[in-house]
Amino acid sequence: MKTRIRTFSIDCADPYTLAQFWSKLLDAPLGEEDFPGDPEVLVQLPEGPPLLFIQVPEPKTVKNRLHMCLEPGTTRDVEVERVLELGGTIFDDRRNTDGTGWVVFADPEGNEFCVLRSEAERAATS
């Protein structure tokens, strides 16, 4: 019998609000039974395990030990602008002048994630 990942759980103060951010970012729906004030909210990804946002009493205090790296369907720089419009903030900009690199973001509760180059951008430089 194989072990599998059932969900990716993310601790947070406001599960519904944070799940809405990720839902918009990943174009993935919230769970049908999830509402503001719920202590757990699910974002069902089109592939793989869902994201489960769980309310915890303590605030985030240190850098994540695990984070998501996102590959956009558009260019990295277009996606960076979209993430900013959705409420993400740039934590560390690691883009290079030759077009390589990535951008480290923080979501509205400070959880880090990266926006990488798209598949097409990587192919163009290889």
Side-chain angles (χ1 to χ4, degrees), residues 15-122:
Y16 190 81
T17 299
L18 194 56
Q20 284 184 313
F21 169 82
W22 283 96
S23 172
K24 291 174 186 169
L25 179 61
L26 299 173
D27 193 27
L30 294 179
E32 291 179 9
E33 298 179 10
D34 294 322
F35 299 97
D38 285 351
E40 296 180 359
V41 176
L42 194 76
V43 173
Q44 187 61 56
L45 302 176
E47 296 178 30
L51 302 179
L52 179 62
F53 296 86
I54 301 174
Q55 187 175 37
V56 297
E58 68 278 354
K60 180 180 180 300
T61 57
V62 296
K63 183 181 181 297
N64 298 5
R65 296 291 299 221
L66 177 70
H67 69 268
M68 290 177 268
C69 293
L70 308 179
E71 178 185 87
T74 181
T75 68
R76 178 198 55 213
D77 294 342
V78 167
E79 186 69 356
V80 164
E81 292 306 313
R82 190 174 80 89
V83 172
L84 289 169
E85 290 172 9
L86 290 172
T89 56
I90 293 177
F91 182 79
D92 189 12
D93 193 335
R94 296 188 180 192
R95 289 178 279 190
N96 300 310
T97 55
D98 67 356
T100 61
W102 61 92
V103 178
V104 182
F105 275 92
D107 72 15
E109 289 203 16
N111 302 299
E112 297 92 6
F113 64 97
C114 295
V115 173
L116 309 175
R117 294 182 297 159
S118 68
E119 183 178 355
E121 288 173 303
R122 287 192 319 279

